[in-house]
Amino acid sequence: MQLGIVGLGRMGGNIARRLTKAGHSCVVWDRNSAAVEGLASEGSTGATSLADVVAKLDAPRAVWVMLPAGGPTESTINELAGLLSAGDVIIDGGNSFYKDDIRRAASLRESGIVYIDVGTSGGVWGLERGYCMMIGGEKEAVDRLDPIFAALAPGLGDIPRTPGREARDPRVEQGYIHTGPAGSGHFVKMIHNGIEYGLMQAYAEGFDILKNKASAELPEHERFTLDMADIAEVWRRGSVVSSWLLDLTAIALTSDEKLTDYSGAVADSGEGRWTVEAAVEEAVSAEVLTAALFARFRSRQDHTFGEKLLSAMRFQFGGHSEFKSK
């Protein structure tokens, strides 16, 4: 299939590469002309503007926008809306707020343009591992673009199959799901990221306690000097707390057990706040996720080893740089 891709950063560029390797045709554009030229040399078709992207696509067109949430995404979608025709599709694969998706879908529907929101998880590893996708939008358009989503998804891999799923949607086992109407994809991804905050915080606090078992504040006979990298590694092997986040923690700790390259000032990219807001709107208790968000706020004032570990995990899966000042 043919797909336009706007925004060729860490994830957008690799989405184009993965699709090209799968035999799909990508028309790519970014404000950074070097990024366009690089992907063109790898088999994509480069474009010089949004209008050029649209001109190089055959109807019905589909354009995937992979830009930071907020202004960049909003302005790009507005411009595309003036260039595309009825039956064309705009896909927002970034981390937009789901209520913005609902509003955009309703507005674009008046022109006959279909809006699809794709919560995309996979970070800088997506080219190799594939992307887990949570897709909101009209069923007909989502089904038509299924070859694109199937090529981007991780596939069944070596994960054991869950018993009793025989009558359910087989796409889910491949790593992508049609969650429902516009907005639902980013809503599910938002909660995914809120959970991510909590999981990361649990690992960070646990390893901080392990590290500080050697503290001079403890009686000498109760002190242990523990190997953080080896503990992370052994927990990867059959432990009930094993996960991809723990895999990335082990990588970071093996590289530098003291995490000296990380400041410990941990950013939050929005989804954690939105998750807590949704919990308030729904009157759902979310103590762990809320505490994990507030811990990130505090980390910008005082930094612990655990918060350095949070920074290291964010860098490992998403390329988020929170390095110390040189």
Side-chain angles (χ1 to χ4, degrees), residues 24-270:
H24 297 285
S25 175
C26 296
V27 178
V28 299
W29 182 74
D30 191 283
R31 292 181 184 275
N32 180 359
S33 59
V36 176
E37 292 167 4
L39 281 166
S41 71
E42 298 177 41
S44 293
T45 299
T48 57
S49 65
L50 286 178
D52 193 33
V53 171
V54 173
K56 288 177 175 175
L57 293 171
D58 299 327
R61 306 168 187 85
V63 181
W64 184 303
V65 177
M66 202 67 180
L67 294 169
T73 294
E74 191 76 21
S75 61
T76 299
I77 289 174
N78 287 340
E79 186 174 346
L80 281 170
L83 297 168
L84 295 172
S85 304
D88 293 341
V89 176
I90 295 175
I91 303 166
D92 178 5
N95 282 324
S96 289
F97 186 40
Y98 78 98
K99 292 184 181 180
D100 290 335
D101 295 317
I102 296 170
R103 169 180 53 79
R104 290 175 190 149
S107 176
L108 290 168
R109 194 177 298 119
E110 296 176 2
S111 303
I113 298 171
V114 179
Y115 181 88
I116 293 175
D117 56 291
V118 180
T120 312
S121 181
V124 297
W125 296 78
L127 176 61
E128 175 186 345
R129 292 168 56 101
Y131 299 92
C132 175
M133 291 168 290
M134 295 136 269
I135 307 164
E138 296 177 11
K139 182 179 185 303
E140 182 179 354
V142 172
D143 289 348
R144 177 169 68 82
L145 292 170
D146 187 76
I148 294 293
F149 301 130
L152 291 174
L156 188 62
D158 57 2
I159 298 174
R161 304 188 77 167
T162 301
R165 285 203 53 89
E166 292 77 14
R168 291 180 173 269
D169 187 346
R171 295 174 295 184
V172 174
E173 288 187 310
Q174 301 299 316
Y176 65 112
I177 180 174
H178 181 206
T179 53
S184 64
H186 277 150
F187 182 79
V188 174
K189 176 58 162 51
M190 179 183 82
I191 304 305
H192 161 284
N193 283 25
I195 293 170
E196 177 187 293
Y197 279 39
L199 293 173
M200 291 172 69
Q201 187 67 26
Y203 283 126
E205 292 177 10
F207 277 96
D208 209 0
I209 296 168
L210 290 169
K211 178 180 180 296
N212 282 286
K213 189 57 177 168
S215 171
E217 301 298 317
L218 297 172
E220 187 172 359
H221 69 280
E222 293 183 4
R223 299 175 198 167
F224 305 142
T225 300
L226 301 168
D227 190 311
M228 301 295 101
D230 281 358
I231 291 170
E233 188 63 32
V234 76
W235 282 354
R236 295 180 62 219
R237 312 289 175 171
S239 162
V240 296
V241 298
S242 60
S243 70
W244 187 42
L245 284 173
L246 185 60
D247 295 345
L248 299 176
T249 297
I251 292 171
L253 289 170
T254 299
S255 174
D256 175 13
E257 190 165 356
K258 294 183 178 179
L259 303 175
T260 52
D261 280 340
Y262 297 92
S263 70
V266 187
D268 68 289
S269 53

Side-chain angles (χ1 to χ4, degrees), residues 4-27:
I5 300 178
V6 176
L8 307 176
R10 288 189 298 261
M11 291 182 70
N14 281 343
I15 283 173
R17 291 183 179 94
R18 188 170 174 90
L19 288 173
T20 300
K21 287 183 177 181
H24 297 285
S25 175
C26 296
V27 178

